[in-house]
Amino acid sequence: MTQKYSVLLLATLVLQARGVFSDESAEASPAEPQHSVQVPQFAPYAVPEAALWEQFVGTMEPLWKRSRASKQDQNEDRYDGEWAVEEVVELAGVAGDKALVVKSEARHHAISARLDKPLDPAQNGVVLQYEVKLQNTLNCGGAYAKLLTSPMTGEFSDSTPYTIMFGPDKCGESKLHMIYRHLNPVTGNYTEHHLQKAPVPPTDSLTHLYTLVIGTNNTFVISIDGVEKKTGSLLEDFEPPVNPAREIDDPRDSKPVDWVDDEQVPDSGATKPEDWDEDAPAMVLDEDAAKPEKWLEDEPLMVEDPAAVKPEDWDDDEDGDWAPPMVANPRCADADGCGPWKRPLKRNADYKGPWSPPLIDNPAYKGKWAPRRIANPGYFEDLAVHKLAKIDAIGFELWTMQSGITFDNIYVGDNVETAERIAKNVWKPKHDTEVALREARNPRPVEKTKSKLDGVLELFKVRVGDISASVADFYGRARHEGIVEAVRQDRSGAIAVVMAVGGLVWLAWNLVALVRFIVGLASPAPPAPVAATNAPNASPDATASTSARTSASYSAAVKRKTKKSS
């Protein structure tokens, strides 16, 4: 039965998926003629006193330098992904507008640029704002920026110290990274602090604007497309917290051998009551039960089929004595039951089970043990976390399975009003034009009511896409860095691989079941004995004997058919 349900579920998913994809194809075709959209021409926008304002008017070099860092103990480039400064192709909202574009798939990319002037967060805070456009559908890849700690030396790589990392990332799930590195004044080491409950970035092909503002009062504001998505405190909304606890458990303290931390113990003075019968059964015969009035005790459950006729080719010498097949006794149809009646069982009111002494409060109980608390030798309190390390460069260090990730209109500074003017005068006209172009290309179809199954299938498609992206990313990492390193760095990808293998096994099993089901429908079914189920208290002897007789008749018929054909 389970196999049939699996087959029906698989068939339903296939048919519904065909309907979903056919609907999408219909929605993708324009329902009305396209309207012309006026696309503005690119014009440079002046931003004075910025640490960096980049519109990619000229060539990529000499400002932007692709990393030439080598793989560890190897001479080949670690970052083999290509970059280019070129005009946008997909939904270009501004004619002649150039941007920095990721050109390679399944590659590591790294590129950096020096700021026009160093930026000190301790003075007026930090404002980082830039545009991201996904010209190709992004399944797995990053689009985050790093503000690199001063002084930046050597080739830019993942080991280059950074002060802030901010931007969108998608591999399985989408999230907006916000990480800052803080100097521990006790140890002298930097610690990464990650934003908790990060916003979810959009993943369509429009140009989106990401803005991070860190104030001089330890506050931060994250906006997407000019709309605040997350505000909070550098002291409270990041993990691990900047300031450690004043006290910690003493690592040298251990629980004494004679410490008793059992709150209750069995009562040693208790004895089993005299009337406690541990051998009493849990169920006993119901002496109050009576045989139903319409119970036919002398009627068998199964009787010989009066309409059956001995086959003409039946050979008693080879096939044995012929007996008609058994069918359900028609007299039992309207009766309460047939066959010998048995008294039912009921729960034994005297059943108590094995006896054990009751629990009482432990007189030796000392409480739950915990190590003593001592002053934290690593404790410090920094109430001016916004005074982060100075910044003198920006970089993009990414792994991506898709090309076409585009960066433009990068602003690094400390002026919120400047960032807002850029959003209003540079990003907004571009974004509005892209929206108009998209609507002209794909007019909105007439909305149709979706069933609950449509919603489930839509979620199923999203989850399959997420798992596929994670598997692809894990494969890319494993190919470049080895399976052990890939598992260490990408646990979710390893889990996705296991899920994908399990899903394929499940799918293969159901396909086999579907084939067997179809073959079963096309093949003639052998005659099966009819069973009666209206007498739950009847003896099984009659049923067993009739089944044996029916089986013998069927076997003999098969033998005759085989003999004749040969």
Side-chain angles (χ1 to χ4, degrees):
M1 204 67 177
T2 303
Q3 188 182 56
K4 290 185 178 180
Y5 286 143
S6 298
V7 170
L8 292 176
L9 174 60
L10 181 63
T12 301
L13 287 175
V14 171
L15 292 175
Q16 286 291 333
R18 287 187 62 189
V20 170
F21 290 127
S22 62
D23 289 345
E24 286 183 350
S25 300
E27 291 176 4
S29 60
E32 56 187 56
Q34 295 189 10
H35 300 284
S36 60
V37 177
Q38 186 174 359
V39 179
Q41 188 68 32
F42 172 78
Y45 185 81
V47 177
E49 300 182 357
L52 176 72
W53 169 238
E54 177 62 88
Q55 289 190 288
F56 299 98
V57 176
T59 58
M60 185 167 62
E61 296 180 348
L63 177 61
W64 291 89
K65 296 182 178 180
R66 177 183 161 186
S67 174
R68 298 297 178 184
S70 301
K71 294 182 180 179
Q72 189 173 8
D73 301 328
Q74 298 182 27
N75 293 325
E76 59 180 304
D77 289 345
R78 177 176 183 179
Y79 297 98
D80 51 358
E82 297 293 336
W83 298 85
V85 171
E86 62 186 21
E87 292 188 20
V88 173
V89 177
E90 175 65 22
L91 285 179
V94 176
D97 185 21
K98 292 184 178 181
L100 180 64
V101 183
V102 171
K103 299 298 292 180
S104 307
E105 298 180 352
R107 294 288 186 271
H108 281 101
H109 300 74
I111 196 169
S112 61
R114 296 276 181 178
L115 303 185
D116 295 336
K117 59 180 181 179
L119 181 64
D120 185 0
Q123 300 300 317
N124 299 304
V126 176
V127 179
L128 169 60
Q129 179 173 276
Y130 66 102
E131 296 174 359
V132 176
K133 183 181 182 66
L134 307 176
Q135 298 193 67
N136 300 323
T137 301
L138 182 64
N139 292 323
C140 184
Y144 42 82
K146 292 182 177 180
L147 297 182
L148 306 179
T149 304
S150 178
M152 176 194 170
T153 58
E155 290 289 338
F156 174 47
S157 69
D158 59 349
S159 60
T160 300
Y162 67 88
T163 300
I164 296 170
M165 177 174 140
F166 172 71
D169 186 21
K170 180 186 180 184
C171 232
E173 63 177 6
S174 298
K175 68 181 299 184
L176 189 61
H177 287 293
M178 164 48 184
I179 307 171
Y180 69 87
R181 296 172 72 247
H182 178 266
L183 178 63
N184 186 315
V186 176
T187 64
N189 298 322
Y190 279 91
T191 302
E192 291 183 352
H193 300 275
H194 296 247
L195 175 63
Q196 301 301 294
K197 299 180 180 179
V200 177
T203 56
D204 55 34
S205 59
L206 299 175
T207 297
H208 294 284
L209 186 69
Y210 296 92
T211 308
L212 169 66
V213 177
I214 295 180
T216 54
N217 56 351
N218 297 324
T219 60
F220 72 92
V221 178
I222 293 176
S223 301
I224 301 177
D225 296 346
V227 179
E228 288 187 6
K229 296 296 184 179
K230 182 82 173 180
T231 62
S233 167
L234 297 177
L235 291 168
E236 300 173 359
D237 296 295
F238 289 77
E239 186 66 31
V242 171
N243 296 318
R246 290 179 179 271
E247 292 184 338
I248 60 172
D249 292 339
D250 186 353
R252 296 167 298 180
D253 193 16
S254 60
K255 185 170 72 172
V257 178
D258 60 348
W259 188 277
V260 179
D261 51 10
D262 295 324
E263 294 186 39
Q264 291 187 317
V265 292
D267 184 0
S268 58
T271 58
K272 184 174 70 173
E274 294 182 1
D275 61 345
W276 192 289
D277 185 3
E278 290 184 322
D279 297 327
M283 304 293 289
V284 294
L285 292 174
D286 185 359
E287 300 296 340
D288 297 328
K291 184 174 67 174
E293 294 181 2
K294 294 184 177 181
W295 190 281
L296 306 179
E297 196 162 8
D298 296 330
E299 288 289 342
L301 286 172
M302 305 289 289
V303 295
E304 294 181 350
D305 185 358
V309 179
K310 179 180 178 180
E312 295 180 0
D313 58 350
W314 184 278
D315 189 337
D316 290 338
D317 294 333
E318 292 188 10
D319 302 331
D321 294 335
W322 180 83
M326 305 298 288
V327 295
N329 190 342
R331 295 182 181 179
C332 298
D334 297 327
D336 293 328
C338 289
W341 179 81
K342 293 182 179 180
R343 194 177 300 278
L345 296 175
K346 69 174 184 178
R347 186 177 297 277
N348 187 0
D350 297 327
Y351 174 74
K352 296 181 179 180
W355 180 85
S356 61
L359 296 177
I360 60 173
D361 292 339
N362 188 355
Y365 176 63
K366 295 184 178 181
K368 295 297 182 183
W369 184 86
R372 62 175 171 265
R373 303 283 288 178
I374 61 174
N376 186 356
Y379 173 75
F380 66 88
E381 185 177 45
D382 185 354
L383 299 180
V385 183
H386 69 277
K387 295 181 178 180
L388 299 171
K390 293 181 180 179
I391 301 162
D392 69 357
I394 184 173
F396 297 98
E397 190 262 325
L398 314 169
W399 162 265
T400 176
M401 294 298 296
Q402 283 75 40
S403 62
I405 302 175
T406 305
F407 305 95
D408 199 6
N409 296 320
I410 304 171
Y411 170 73
V412 181
D414 55 19
N415 194 308
V416 177
E417 289 75 15
T418 299
E420 291 175 347
R421 287 197 299 271
I422 294 172
K424 177 182 178 181
N425 300 319
V426 180
W427 169 79
K428 187 68 164 59
K430 176 193 294 187
H431 183 266
D432 291 347
T433 303
E434 290 177 351
V435 171
L437 288 170
R438 184 177 65 177
E439 291 181 353
R441 177 189 296 178
N442 300 312
R444 263 183 213 176
V446 178
E447 293 187 2
K448 63 177 183 178
T449 304
K450 288 189 176 182
S451 66
K452 290 184 179 180
L453 182 58
D454 290 332
V456 172
L457 290 171
E458 195 67 28
L459 180 61
F460 176 76
K461 288 170 56 184
V462 172
R463 290 291 176 263
V464 169
D466 290 344
I467 293 175
S468 301
S470 297
V471 170
D473 181 50
F474 182 82
Y475 170 76
R477 289 182 184 274
R479 190 178 65 176
H480 284 79
E481 302 175 8
I483 185 69
V484 175
E485 186 67 17
V487 171
R488 188 182 69 82
Q489 294 186 4
D490 189 5
R491 298 287 178 86
S492 61
I495 294 173
V497 171
V498 175
M499 292 176 63
V501 172
L504 290 174
V505 172
W506 178 87
L507 182 61
W509 185 89
N510 279 280
L511 287 174
V512 172
L514 179 60
V515 172
R516 294 178 61 186
F517 182 73
I518 295 173
V519 172
L521 291 177
S523 302
V530 180
T533 59
N534 65 332
N537 295 322
S539 172
D541 296 340
T543 303
S545 63
T546 53
S547 297
R549 289 176 57 184
T550 305
S551 176
S553 300
Y554 176 69
S555 299
V558 172
K559 288 169 58 179
R560 292 197 313 277
K561 185 175 182 181
T562 304
K563 182 175 68 174
K564 287 185 176 183
S565 62
S566 61

